[in-house]
Amino acid sequence: MVISGTELGKRFLGEKIFRQVISYLEKDPLNNMNRGIDLILKAPIAEHHRQIIHNIKDYLENDPVTQKYIQRIFNNTNETFRKKGIVNFFLNATLMGVPKQLKESEKLGVSVPFAILIDPTSKCNLRCKGCWAGTYDHHDELDFETVDRLITEGKELGIYFIPLSGGEPFAWDPLLELCEKHDDVVFMPYTNGTLIDEQKVEKMAELGNISPAISIEGDRQLTDERRGKGVFDKVSSVMENLREAGVPFGFSVTLTRENCEQVISEEFIDMMIDKGALYGWSFHYIPIGREPDFSLMLTAEQRAQLVERVNSLRSSKPLKFADFWNDGHLSGGCIAGGRRYFHITAKGDIEPCAFIHFAVENIQDKSLKEILQTPIFKSYQKRQPFDENYLRPCPLIDVPDALREIVDETGATSTDSGSDTILTGKEAEEMDKVATSWKKAADEIASGRVSE
C-alpha cells in the first residue's frame, strides 16, 4: 500500500499539529512561520534536526533575504505543492528520512544515502557539446518495474528524494506515472526542458511532487552555442509556463572557463529569479563524456573567485544556489559513493557519482541493500573525506590518485567508451596538473578561513 506524504505527516506530527502547521502557512507563510516551527519542535524529531530548525527560525527572524525567499516559495508554488511537495521534502525526506537512514546504516554497515540519482533512459533529443553523459550508449533504458522497485526499497530505508538524469528524463514515457505512484517522494529531474509541453506542466501541477532543474548555460548566445539554436527561447517559455502553473523549478548550469563569470553575475541570477526559479545547481565542467576538453575547465583562479562569489549571492539573493564541488565544506567532503547519494545509469550500472563512470556491479537481480554493499562504495567510504580541506572533495578532479586507488582496489571498469583515459596517459597528466593547481589555491583559502 502506498502511503501519501500527507498521511505520513499526520502520523509523524499528529493530526492536530499537522493541520495547524499547514493552516498557519497557507494563511500567512512569513508571519506565521515561527508559529509553525514552534509546533514542529513539539514533535519527536532527531536532536540535530531540532538544532537545524532552531537555526532556521533565527534566520527567519533576522535575515531579510531568507524571509523574502520563503515568501517567494509560497508565491511561486500552487496549493498542491505546498500541501504535498513541501511535506515530502522537509518531513518525509529529512525529518523522518534521515534518522531512518542512519538507523539502517548501522544495521548494514555501510552508508544509506539521502538520494539516489537514476537515469531512466540514455535517450536525448539534444546533442550538447561536452555532455558528461555523451559517450553512454543511447539505446539503454530501465523498465518501469525496476525503477519502481528501487524507489519502493529506498523508502523502506528512509530515502524519499529521487533526482533523475539521463539522457533526458522526459524522454522516458513512464516518468509522470512513476511520480504519481510514489506521491510521498520528491522527484527532481535534471532536464534540458525542451520536451516539457503544456500537458506535462499541467500534470506536474496536479501531482505536486516534481521540481524540474532546467539546464541553461547563461544568456541566449551561450546556451544556444552549447545546446542548439533556439533552446534558450524554448526553455525560457517552459520556465514561464511552470511559474504560471505554480510548479517549483530550478536551473542547472555547467560552469566552464567561458561562461563562469556570466552565470554567477547578479544579472544572470536576477534573470533566473524573474523567471521564477527557486534554486540553482552549478556543476564544474569535467572533461568526460562527449569530446572532453581540458581547456573548458575552470582555472584555479576562477574556482577561487567562485567560492567568494557564491557566498555573496547566497547572502544577497532570494534563491538557493548550490556549487557541487566548492560546497564540500557544507557537506563534509564528497557526498558520492553511497555516502549521501549514488548514480544508477540507464544500463543499470552502479556508479559512485554521475561524473565517475566506473562500476563493479549492475543492479540486475540485486536489491537496494545489496546495491549499497557494492565494493566500489565501500572503497569510497573508507577514504572519505578524500582530503582534510573540504574545498578539495572530489577523487576525480581534486585528488585523482584516490580514484586510481579505488579502481585498482575494486577492479572497477569503465561504464562508457572513454572514461578510463583519465586514469593513465596524457589525460591523467592533465588532471594531475589541474588538481595540483587547485590544491595550492584551496589551501590558501582554507588557511585564510582558519586565521579569521
Side-chain angles (χ1 to χ4, degrees):
M1 178 178 67
V2 177
I3 302 174
S4 72
T6 300
E7 287 304 314
L8 283 168
K10 291 176 182 178
R11 292 182 188 186
F12 184 66
L13 293 177
E15 180 89 21
K16 184 177 180 180
I17 293 179
F18 179 83
R19 288 191 180 279
Q20 280 184 304
V21 171
I22 295 299
S23 176
Y24 286 157
L25 296 181
E26 285 193 319
K27 289 177 181 176
D28 189 344
L30 193 56
N31 291 326
N32 286 336
M33 184 65 72
N34 281 344
R35 296 175 70 186
I37 288 174
D38 287 339
L39 283 172
I40 292 173
L41 287 170
K42 294 179 181 179
I45 59 178
E47 188 57 38
H48 65 283
H49 283 144
R50 190 175 300 276
Q51 185 58 52
I52 290 172
I53 291 172
H54 276 297
N55 291 340
I56 292 173
K57 186 176 180 180
D58 288 341
Y59 274 119
L60 286 171
E61 292 175 345
N62 302 303
D63 183 10
V65 175
T66 300
Q67 294 171 5
K68 189 174 181 180
Y69 180 66
I70 295 296
Q71 193 66 60
R72 286 193 69 230
I73 291 176
F74 282 84
N75 289 345
N76 288 20
T77 57
N78 64 23
E79 182 180 1
T80 305
F81 175 78
R82 293 195 295 269
K83 287 188 174 180
K84 183 186 290 184
I86 292 176
V87 169
N88 287 358
F89 185 80
F90 288 105
L91 189 60
N92 300 352
T94 306
L95 295 181
M96 289 178 61
V98 172
K100 177 71 170 176
Q101 294 158 21
L102 295 174
K103 183 178 180 180
E104 294 296 328
S105 293
E106 292 181 4
K107 294 180 183 178
L108 296 173
V110 291
S111 294
V112 173
F114 180 78
I116 305 173
L117 174 63
I118 301 174
D119 296 353
T121 181
S122 60
K123 293 185 296 186
C124 187
N125 59 313
L126 299 184
R127 299 282 290 177
C128 303
K129 296 177 182 178
C131 173
W132 63 268
T135 51
Y136 287 138
D137 292 333
H138 292 278
H139 53 73
D140 294 322
E141 192 160 284
L142 298 174
D143 58 62
F144 179 90
E145 291 72 22
T146 297
V147 182
D148 175 43
R149 174 180 64 82
L150 288 170
I151 293 174
T152 299
E153 293 177 3
K155 289 190 288 187
E156 293 171 358
L157 299 176
I159 303 169
Y160 286 86
F161 183 55
I162 304 293
L164 302 161
S165 60
E168 167 52 48
F170 283 92
W172 191 60
D173 292 337
L175 174 61
L176 297 181
E177 178 187 351
L178 180 80
C179 298
E180 184 169 19
K181 180 173 182 179
H182 295 281
D183 73 341
D184 51 351
V185 171
V186 174
F187 292 89
M188 185 180 68
Y190 285 102
T191 172
N192 64 45
T194 61
L195 299 182
I196 302 178
D197 55 26
E198 292 183 2
Q199 289 74 26
K200 288 186 176 67
V201 171
E202 183 179 344
K203 185 63 176 179
M204 285 189 281
E206 174 191 322
L207 294 177
N209 64 335
I210 312 168
S211 179
I214 300 174
S215 297
I216 194 167
E217 308 300 329
D219 61 14
R220 180 180 288 102
Q221 178 183 344
L222 286 169
T223 298
D224 287 1
E225 185 177 279
R226 185 170 188 234
R227 297 187 165 269
K229 187 175 181 180
V231 170
F232 179 87
D233 289 338
K234 174 64 176 176
V235 300
S236 294
S237 177
V238 168
M239 288 179 178
E240 292 172 7
N241 291 339
L242 291 167
R243 182 188 61 201
E244 289 298 317
V247 177
F249 70 92
F251 66 92
S252 172
V253 62
T254 300
L255 294 174
T256 71
R257 200 170 299 184
E258 298 172 350
N259 74 348
C260 181
E261 281 72 21
Q262 182 182 123
V263 296
I264 58 171
S265 67
E266 286 200 18
E267 292 77 13
F268 178 78
I269 297 301
D270 286 343
M271 179 177 70
M272 290 293 97
I273 291 173
D274 289 344
K275 290 184 181 297
L278 293 173
Y279 58 88
W281 286 94
S282 70
F283 298 93
H284 304 188
Y285 173 80
I286 307 297
I288 57 173
R290 183 179 298 121
E291 300 174 356
D293 184 352
F294 279 87
S295 71
L296 290 177
M297 292 188 74
L298 299 180
T299 65
E301 291 76 19
Q302 285 178 316
R303 191 169 168 182
Q305 291 169 4
L306 191 62
V307 174
E308 181 178 350
R309 184 62 188 147
V310 168
N311 287 334
S312 174
L313 290 173
R314 285 176 179 150
S315 65
S316 62
K317 300 295 180 181
L319 176 143
K320 295 305 174 186
F321 192 84
D323 184 0
F324 194 70
W325 278 272
N326 277 6
D327 278 345
H329 63 290
L330 299 178
S331 59
C334 173
I335 64 173
R339 176 174 167 250
R340 300 309 293 145
Y341 106 103
F342 68 96
H343 181 219
I344 295 175
T345 73
K347 196 174 183 178
D349 290 325
I350 306 165
E351 296 181 343
C353 175
F355 300 93
I356 306 290
H357 295 183
F358 292 91
V360 175
E361 297 177 313
N362 191 279
I363 63 172
Q364 188 68 30
D365 299 323
K366 289 186 181 294
S367 69
L368 181 56
K369 288 183 179 180
E370 290 173 320
I371 289 169
L372 295 177
Q373 298 281 351
T374 186
I376 198 167
F377 289 0
K378 292 182 178 180
S379 186
Y380 247 71
Q381 290 170 27
K382 74 180 182 181
R383 291 175 168 83
Q384 290 169 319
F386 294 103
D387 191 88
E388 61 182 10
N389 183 350
Y390 289 157
L391 286 170
R392 302 180 64 233
C394 180
L396 174 59
I397 65 172
D398 298 327
V399 193
D401 278 344
L403 179 59
R404 293 171 191 139
E405 290 175 3
I406 291 169
V407 171
D408 183 63
E409 179 177 280
T410 62
T413 57
S414 173
T415 56
D416 63 20
S417 61
S419 60
D420 52 355
T421 61
I422 64 173
L423 299 177
T424 59
K426 292 182 179 180
E427 287 83 359
E429 292 176 5
E430 286 295 321
M431 196 67 81
D432 286 338
K433 291 178 182 177
V434 170
T436 299
S437 178
W438 174 239
K439 181 181 186 308
K440 180 180 179 181
D443 287 347
E444 289 177 355
I445 295 172
S447 177
R449 283 179 174 174
V450 171
S451 65
E452 291 174 3

